[in-house]
Amino acid sequence: MILSTVRLAISAEHKPEVLRTLRVFMGHTTARAGCVGFWLSQDLTNPEALTISDLWTTRADLDAHVRSNEYRLLLTVIDLSVTPPDISFDGLRHIGGLDVMQALRVPARAI
């Protein structure tokens, strides 16, 4: 799995336009082969800070997405950032879920 993350800051003036653009971008992104999920979040302490994340099954799926015409929508949003964007592409390995949390939270029994 590949996680694409873009962190940026958008002024209040441009926020409505950016959110409209990101809704369209999300639709195109989630319709692509290999897209596992798309998330947009706003920082609770800084209303200008947005994080855009999408998860891909393979590197080839991500590459096709970044090369697509629709990716220009994200590039337009990045151009509106009032700070330099923080962009990362990270390989992920699933290690568990609730089972891991339970194993780590439940005290080990003495034998």
Side-chain angles (χ1 to χ4, degrees):
M1 298 284 231
I2 310 292
L3 178 65
S4 166
T5 306
V6 177
R7 291 180 188 85
L8 40 76
I10 301 295
S11 68
E13 172 189 1
H14 291 293
K15 185 73 75 73
E17 170 191 356
V18 163
L19 292 178
R20 280 191 303 275
T21 301
L22 288 174
R23 281 187 191 95
V24 173
F25 179 67
M26 180 176 131
H28 288 295
T29 300
T30 56
R32 293 194 67 85
C35 180
V36 177
F38 183 100
W39 303 272
L40 172 64
S41 59
Q42 180 176 322
D43 189 299
L44 292 174
T45 60
N46 178 359
E48 289 186 339
L50 294 177
T51 301
I52 304 144
S53 302
D54 39 274
L55 186 62
W56 298 89
T57 304
T58 67
R59 172 66 192 267
D61 294 329
L62 171 68
D63 291 356
H65 172 58
V66 173
R67 290 184 179 122
S68 72
N69 288 333
E70 293 80 16
Y71 200 78
R72 290 181 185 169
L73 293 168
L74 180 59
L75 298 176
T76 299
V77 168
I78 290 171
D79 285 343
L80 293 173
S81 183
V82 297
T83 61
D86 177 14
I87 300 170
S88 67
F89 301 98
D90 300 291
L92 303 178
R93 185 177 68 94
H94 183 73
I95 61 170
L98 182 58
D99 57 326
V100 171
M101 185 186 303
Q102 288 174 329
L104 293 172
R105 297 293 303 170
V106 175
R109 294 184 182 185
I111 298 179

